[in-house]
Amino acid sequence: MKTLVQNTIIALTLTTLFSCSKPETTPIPQAEPYSEQQVVQPQPVETAPEVSASNDGPKHEGLKLIEGTDCLTCHKIDSKLIGPSYQEVAAKYSVADLDMLAQKIIDGGKGNWGEIPMTPHTGLSKENARQMVKYILSLKK
């Protein structure tokens, strides 16, 4: 019984404290009537075509695919990183090697450029790998 009375007194005290607090006086912003507002029509935005790293035209589909993978973690276009540069690969291989190189991207490998293995990209389709190789071979000097 004593606990019930104490709890009731505490509840009443808290209710009194919070109900007597100062109400919020910040006014709520009101929108202007619609008839007074000016309607602004959205303007179409023209986008420039994506350009390749050398800025000489639209971005190659193979480059887009390369940028969407982890390839640039180990390869650069014009200098060796962990693996060879794409220009070094282009200098060593030709279009006749396209299918072999595409399969190498998918399967991964080791030994052609040193002992650090290239990780496999098994989720990559053969056609996408071919597009990537076409871009790399286009960097031949």
Side-chain angles (χ1 to χ4, degrees), residues 119-132:
T119 58
H121 299 84
T122 55
L124 197 60
S125 73
K126 182 80 170 206
E127 184 52 39
N128 284 349
R130 286 175 51 85
Q131 286 296 321
M132 294 163 84

Side-chain angles (χ1 to χ4, degrees), residues 1-16:
M1 177 77 171
K2 186 176 179 181
T3 306
L4 180 61
V5 173
Q6 287 176 340
N7 288 342
T8 303
I9 292 171
I10 292 172
L12 287 173
T13 303
L14 290 174
T15 304
T16 304

Side-chain angles (χ1 to χ4, degrees), residues 53 63 66-67 69-91 113 118 132 135-137 139-141:
L63 177 57
I66 287 170
E67 291 174 341
T69 64
D70 64 346
C71 299
L72 295 175
T73 304
C74 297
H75 301 278
K76 283 186 159 187
I77 292 174
D78 57 358
S79 62
K80 179 176 175 39
L81 195 58
I82 294 170
S85 73
Y86 290 140
Q87 289 176 344
E88 290 175 303
V89 174
W113 296 93
M118 182 172 77
M132 294 163 84
Y135 168 72
I136 293 167
L137 294 177
L139 299 172
K140 188 180 293 270
K141 289 185 176 184

